[in-house]
Amino acid sequence: MRHHALDLPRRLAAMGRRRAIGAVVLNAVAGVTEGIGVLALVPLLKLLGIGNGGEAPPDPWVFALVLTGYVLLAGVAARIGQTRHRAVQALTLDFLDRLRADLHAAILAMEWNAFRKRRSADLQQAMTGEIGRIHMAVTALGNLTGALLAIPFLAAAALFLSPALTGAALVMVVLAAAATRHLNARSWLLGRQLGEANKAAMADLADNLAGLRLIKIFTAEAAREEKLSSRFADARRNQRAYERAHATERAVLQTIAAAAAAGGLYMAVFLLRLPLAEALTLMLAYGRLLQAALRCLSNWRRLTGASAALATYDETLAACRAAAEPPAIGTLPPSLQTEMRFSGVVVRHDEKQGDERGPLVLDHIDAVIPAGKTTALIGPSGAGKSTLLDLALGLTTPDGGHISIDGVRLSPDVRHAWRRSVSACPQDPFLFHDTLRANLRLACPDADDGALWAALEAVAAADFVRALPRGLDTVAGDRGLRFSGGERQRLALARAWLRRPAFLALDEATASLDGETETAVARALANLRGSC
């Protein structure tokens, strides 16, 4: 629990030690100015004649000069506070951006099989919801740091006026910490439960949005609505419990603060018998000191609860990195000149669990795919055709046997490099919510418009793209749903064609095309064969 709360400052400092030290220094300077401002009230009140035996007020010009100095001091403190806020916010936002970038990079680097086994909504929740709650933790840490650095200077001002009353204030803070210490573990647990409840709700919401067409076909709106409402109810209960814990803490701290203020005032007036000017200033210093100390307790509790999100984030990041594909630094892709060979390839559905082994998908496959030729895989649904294509594309590795390209084994450290020489068009083509130009250039980032139009012409897609008002600048829409199934298929084929790959995998890529278009695409593919 405490590991992540205490680890947060170190990780923020790692973003930039100078920036972190600068933020701490600004917090300390703000504390100094606050302490000086409190002590400056004593001469100011005496100039007014308060606590000075009813003497006449000073000369107006002298008093105006003193007031001007006090206002300037307050202005300097405000400016320091503004600078501190900007520095802390910049450091915080950069830290959150780093977290997002690290997790996104880890997700993109995952093995394909490992990624498929994770629920994408859980990864989205870590990228958004958990990092949003980490923002709350960083904010609480900033407030805690500011209060901690202000305490020594406020305590110095209070000690200067009355060591006895300052000691009483610190005793009250210790009592408040003891009275609310049980909330540390509870805040952590509630924060963790809140994250899990939000993750489950967001996952169901993502499923409903992705499967809305299916939901409407089966008139399952009510059932899905009821399930999601239940998820949100769980999240709401956890949120209420989380807020109740903090409300309880606030009530306890406010009660303690009121009791301390009343006791302090009684001591100042009747026991210490301080002059009015010192008494008023002391009460201000005493109140500020007590508030800063109680803010420390409150923000520590909020930091503890919100840092549960950092634990969830770290677990997700570690899992993604553990499933990373080996890098292909400096590895040249195998050159397919003769054949791709499958030797005793075995693939099982799932990883081994204990002594049990998953069912076989491919059982000791021996096969040869010659270069420059068209090879067709024919078989019933579930026979393993797509699995074999994933192996050939270097997306996955076999559980047994091996694959070689012209005698070079397609080992884990070679697969990424090999994928720079391959291309594919899946049965259900995916287009990003971006322009057609950007979607096509996914396969070949340096392709100019001439190459893009040539690829579209090759798969009989140029005519309908030219008819669009914005042409290549047309946005495809969410998953390309602006276009029909056949149009998406042709755009995906153009993208695959654009790379001019050494190996092109088509997974029923012409299933959505009419007879005339299928003939045109088949002709284009025949022209492409052997030209790479």
Side-chain angles (χ1 to χ4, degrees):
M1 175 186 69
R2 293 181 180 178
H3 165 73
H4 287 88
L6 297 176
D7 189 46
L8 192 55
R10 181 189 62 78
R11 293 168 71 164
L12 280 166
M15 285 286 300
R17 193 169 297 278
R18 287 185 179 180
R19 294 171 66 188
I21 292 174
V24 171
V25 169
L26 286 170
N27 272 310
V29 173
V32 171
T33 55
E34 189 172 2
I36 293 174
V38 169
L39 290 176
L41 285 174
V42 175
L44 184 62
L45 291 172
K46 286 186 175 180
L47 279 173
L48 280 171
I50 298 175
N52 237 359
E55 296 180 6
D59 181 272
W61 291 104
V62 174
F63 190 59
L65 184 63
V66 173
L67 286 177
T68 301
Y70 186 77
V71 171
L72 288 175
L73 179 63
V76 169
R79 180 62 177 171
I80 292 171
Q82 180 188 30
T83 305
R84 175 186 62 182
H85 177 76
R86 291 171 60 183
V88 170
Q89 282 299 307
L91 183 62
T92 298
L93 294 176
D94 286 349
F95 176 64
L96 298 177
D97 284 346
R98 175 71 62 83
L99 293 181
R100 292 189 187 95
D102 286 349
L103 181 54
H104 187 236
I107 292 171
L108 294 180
M110 289 177 71
E111 288 274 7
W112 175 240
N113 266 345
F115 174 78
R116 286 194 306 176
K117 293 173 184 176
R118 295 193 68 94
R119 199 172 185 181
S120 59
D122 292 348
L123 299 176
Q124 292 170 5
Q125 173 66 14
M127 285 281 292
T128 55
E130 301 305 337
I131 289 180
R133 294 203 302 135
I134 292 171
H135 191 179
M136 294 172 55
V138 176
T139 301
L141 176 64
N143 293 336
L144 173 63
T145 304
L148 281 172
L149 291 173
I151 283 176
F153 305 105
L154 292 171
L159 280 168
F160 178 79
L161 296 167
S162 173
L165 201 55
T166 304
L170 295 177
V171 168
M172 295 299 291
V173 171
V174 172
L175 292 176
T180 58
R181 71 182 185 279
H182 68 283
L183 293 176
N184 280 342
R186 182 162 173 76
S187 293
W188 168 267
L189 180 60
L190 289 174
R192 187 78 167 189
Q193 290 173 346
L194 179 60
E196 292 298 320
N198 285 334
K199 181 170 70 173
M202 291 300 103
D204 274 354
L205 176 60
D207 284 349
N208 286 354
L209 296 177
L212 184 57
R213 184 170 183 269
L214 192 64
I215 291 171
K216 298 187 78 64
I217 288 173
F218 290 107
T219 61
E221 294 93 338
R224 295 301 300 180
E225 181 181 358
E226 181 180 355
K227 183 175 182 181
L228 187 60
S229 295
S230 175
R231 293 289 195 192
F232 280 125
D234 290 340
R236 187 167 59 252
R237 280 192 294 272
N238 279 274
Q239 183 70 50
R240 285 176 176 172
Y242 186 77
E243 293 301 330
R244 276 199 303 271
H246 287 289
T248 300
E249 179 193 33
R250 284 194 299 270
V252 171
L253 295 182
Q254 287 172 1
T255 302
I256 293 174
L265 184 59
Y266 184 87
M267 289 179 65
V269 174
F270 294 102
L271 299 181
L272 303 177
R273 301 201 177 271
L274 296 174
L276 187 56
E278 282 87 346
L280 291 174
T281 306
L282 176 59
M283 290 311 300
L284 177 62
Y286 177 75
R288 293 269 185 93
L289 174 61
L290 192 61
Q291 288 173 4
L294 295 181
R295 280 204 311 271
C296 285
L297 292 178
S298 179
N299 281 296
W300 170 251
R301 227 74 73 192
R302 287 197 171 274
L303 173 60
T304 302
S307 65
L310 188 59
T312 301
Y313 168 89
D314 284 343
E315 290 165 6
T316 305
L317 180 64
C320 292
R321 285 178 169 171
E325 187 177 32
I329 301 175
T331 305
L332 295 176
S335 177
L336 179 58
Q337 299 293 329
T338 305
E339 65 179 22
M340 175 187 294
R341 182 175 291 273
F342 291 73
S343 303
V345 168
V346 175
V347 174
R348 296 182 179 276
H349 255 308
D350 300 309
E351 297 177 354
K352 299 176 184 178
Q353 298 180 351
D355 295 329
E356 297 182 4
R357 298 168 66 87
L360 284 169
V361 181
L362 299 177
D363 186 5
H364 294 87
I365 298 297
D366 294 311
V368 174
I369 300 177
K373 303 289 185 181
T374 298
T375 301
L377 297 178
I378 301 172
S381 177
K385 301 186 296 299
S386 296
T387 300
L388 192 142
L389 284 182
D390 284 349
L391 291 169
L393 291 167
L395 283 173
T396 59
T397 55
D399 296 313
H402 66 270
I403 304 164
S404 58
I405 312 293
D406 286 354
V408 177
R409 285 202 177 191
L410 200 56
S411 57
D413 58 334
V414 173
R415 288 187 294 125
H416 191 278
W418 165 242
R419 289 203 301 273
R420 293 198 292 266
S421 298
V422 305
S423 195
C425 183
Q427 183 178 0
D428 184 19
F430 180 90
L431 299 178
F432 290 92
H433 185 69
D434 206 340
T435 64
L436 296 184
R437 180 182 285 103
N439 270 284
L440 293 172
R441 284 180 176 168
L442 184 71
C444 188
D446 298 328
D448 58 22
D449 281 6
L452 301 184
W453 284 113
L456 292 168
E457 289 281 3
V459 297
D463 289 344
F464 84 79
V465 174
R466 285 196 184 96
L468 297 170
R470 296 180 59 84
L472 289 172
D473 292 318
T474 301
V475 175
D478 185 32
R479 293 171 293 164
L481 293 180
R482 172 171 184 163
F483 301 104
S484 68
E487 289 170 339
R488 288 199 306 275
Q489 199 82 60
R490 280 180 280 170
L491 290 169
L493 280 166
R495 180 171 57 196
W497 190 93
L498 183 65
R499 177 172 269 193
R500 292 302 186 98
F503 179 80
L504 176 61
L506 305 176
D507 191 355
E508 300 187 36
T510 60
S512 299
L513 305 182
D514 58 65
E516 183 179 350
T517 305
E518 184 176 358
T519 300
V521 169
R523 188 180 304 115
L525 293 175
N527 293 334
L528 178 63
R529 185 174 64 242
S531 64
C532 301

